[in-house]
Amino acid sequence: MRIKINAVPDSPAFPEQVDVIVIGGGIIGTSVTYELAKQGVSVALFEKGVIGGEQSGRNWGWVRQQNRDIYELPLAMRSLQRWEELSSEIGSDLGFRRSGILYGTHSEADVARWETWGKQAKQIGFVSHLLSAQEVHKRLGDSAQWVGGIWSPTDGRAEPSLAAPAIAAGAQKLGASIHQRCAVRGLDVSAGRVSGVWTERGRVRASQVICCGGAWSSRFCKQYGIELPSANILGTAFKTTVAPEVIQGCLSMPELCIRRRLDGSYTVAVPGRGQLDLAPQNIRYAAKFYPMYRSKIAKKLKLRLNGSFFNGPEAAGGWSNHAVSPFEKIRVLDPKPDRQILDEALRTLVKAFPALEGIKIDHAWGGWIDTTPDLVPVIDEMQSVPGLFIASGFSGHGFGIGPGAGLLCAQLITRQQPFTDITPYRLDRFAKGNAIREPQMM
């Protein structure tokens, strides 16, 4: 693997029966497992590869409320609370720090958009601060191009290599059962409702199952007639060598995003840049993604045709619960980073911050980002398959809002009053005849 993730030991005993089964060991799956275990629910998590091995260990490490879709903001705000609480609850450092997030822009349109968003966000209870060109100059150095910015001091950052593994370990301490390199091949359905799952190690009984499979969720759900529109976008990022501090927290500029890491290096990425494969799943849901394709969000994406047409999370075809599944054939999605993006980003970084002259790429990676047509996740219970829940399509936002999403999912599963209205997250918003919102603020 091109990333380094803290290892989590498997639970010693393989369960025969639990109350809830969680599919997927990313930040969402581990957070759901932790919140359920905290409530005393008998829960088992199954991960086909390793905890945090896919996008939850490959993201930028931003924990933000700023510039979230307004529908997503309550989830982000609750997540920030959980991020702050989790380290002390679990007794392990997740790398979370409220060090603030700064956006700078060369565009008056961005400033106007941020101002409008800020007024809406303030009504929900989140406050950020618009910055003048001079204030951005003061924070980032001289540049005749800055026209403004926005600063959110209560936002933060965390370490992807630490977070999901620490949360999984915390769930284990509370009695959760964790099993890696153990794919869930499919559901066990009796009398029309979920009665468990079939793993590669056999059947495990449960009355409720939640699919938190990230890039793999849509293909899994298709086996049961559930249409989960998802496009997996390949992103590229890298870790630098240790270098002088030019920003304490996170910074977003039109051509670059950076995060200061605990070890004194940076995580660097280019916003909006990525690749989209011409694969059966993307072709199938192309009409639903049309609003996104026509927006400026898609203008930086490159289309390509490669092996994913026949293999991986976006391929077509079914399988049996009693034979090797696609999830066992590819334990961890570990795509190659885009070399062109790496080279451009490193040059841009040094140009923007001359103090970083001589900085190098320590290691780089690619990651598949499961994306919905409106860039808002699906968190819902499936009426067509009673007992099945979905938490997927987090569109690159999952790391930051994962703890809040985990809490919300646990509340749905245990029939508690959810802390926020789940209507914006329901799957049926993409049903035929429903208007699909254009993607909002990234």
Side-chain angles (χ1 to χ4, degrees), residues 229 285-292 294 372-375 428-440:
Y285 295 122
K288 294 186 182 298
F289 278 87
Y290 179 70
M292 189 181 84
R294 73 182 183 185
T372 63
D374 60 6
L375 304 181
D428 63 8
R429 71 185 191 268
F430 301 126
K432 186 176 181 179
N434 288 359
I436 298 175
R437 293 189 308 122
E438 290 203 18
Q440 303 299 307

Side-chain angles (χ1 to χ4, degrees), residues 88-400:
S88 59
E89 286 183 14
I90 293 171
S92 182
D93 188 7
L94 281 64
F96 176 69
R97 307 287 188 272
R98 279 191 188 263
S99 48
I101 292 179
L102 173 64
Y103 284 71
T105 186
H106 311 144
S107 165
E108 294 284 359
D110 285 340
V111 175
R113 185 161 50 93
W114 292 339
E115 184 175 15
T116 299
W117 182 91
K119 291 176 181 177
Q120 295 175 309
K122 191 173 183 179
Q123 295 177 0
I124 299 174
F126 176 72
V127 178
S128 55
H129 309 281
L130 277 174
L131 303 179
S132 67
Q134 291 73 24
E135 289 171 319
V136 179
H137 285 308
K138 185 176 180 180
R139 290 174 179 267
L140 297 180
D142 292 333
S143 170
Q145 295 181 326
W146 296 122
V147 299
I150 195 163
W151 166 245
S152 50
T154 60
D155 279 345
R157 56 191 169 114
E159 293 294 340
S161 63
L162 304 178
I167 296 171
Q172 276 183 316
K173 291 178 182 177
L174 296 173
S177 188
I178 307 290
H179 300 278
Q180 299 162 97
R181 296 192 64 80
C182 184
V184 171
R185 291 173 172 173
L187 300 174
D188 189 31
V189 179
S190 302
R193 66 163 294 118
V194 167
S195 56
V197 299
W198 286 96
T199 77
E200 60 184 281
R201 293 176 59 181
R203 186 179 69 162
V204 180
R205 296 191 299 276
S207 59
Q208 294 171 305
V209 173
I210 181 164
C211 178
C212 309
W216 297 90
S217 291
S218 184
R219 190 172 186 191
F220 181 91
C221 290
K222 186 70 176 62
Q223 286 277 94
Y224 304 97
I226 297 169
E227 299 288 349
L228 175 60
S230 179
N232 294 324
I233 296 173
L234 176 59
T236 288
F238 65 89
K239 175 186 182 294
T240 71
T241 52
V242 174
E245 184 178 283
V246 295
I247 188 164
Q248 186 181 38
C250 303
L251 168 66
S252 174
M253 304 185 293
E255 61 283 339
L256 201 69
C257 288
I258 64 175
R259 171 180 65 88
R260 183 69 166 171
R261 298 169 67 120
L262 294 182
D263 66 359
S265 65
Y266 294 91
T267 292
V268 182
V270 179
R273 291 282 292 277
Q275 297 179 6
L276 183 67
D277 284 354
L278 294 172
Q281 179 176 294
N282 291 336
I283 295 170
R284 179 181 184 84
Y285 295 122
K288 294 186 182 298
F289 278 87
Y290 179 70
M292 189 181 84
Y293 294 153
R294 73 182 183 185
S295 73
K296 67 177 184 178
I297 294 171
K299 290 181 180 179
K300 295 182 179 180
L301 298 179
K302 294 191 294 188
L303 296 178
R304 68 176 188 176
L305 179 64
N306 70 356
S308 65
F309 197 92
F310 304 102
N311 298 291
E314 297 175 319
W319 60 92
S320 165
N321 288 338
H322 306 292
V324 175
S325 68
F327 318 117
E328 295 152 77
K329 294 177 181 178
I330 304 178
R331 292 286 180 184
V332 176
L333 286 168
D334 190 26
K336 293 181 179 179
D338 187 321
R339 188 73 242 180
Q340 181 181 354
I341 291 177
L342 297 177
D343 293 340
E344 290 178 8
L346 190 62
R347 288 195 298 269
T348 302
L349 180 64
V350 175
K351 182 179 179 181
F353 300 102
L356 299 180
E357 183 69 42
I359 195 172
K360 294 181 172 56
I361 295 175
D362 181 81
H363 65 276
W365 61 89
W368 288 108
I369 303 167
D370 56 313
T371 306
T372 63
D374 60 6
L375 304 181
V376 171
V378 171
I379 301 173
D380 203 0
E381 181 177 5
M382 299 297 99
Q383 300 303 316
S384 60
V385 186
L388 176 64
F389 298 77
I390 295 175
S392 197
F394 282 79
S395 307
H397 310 161
F399 185 73

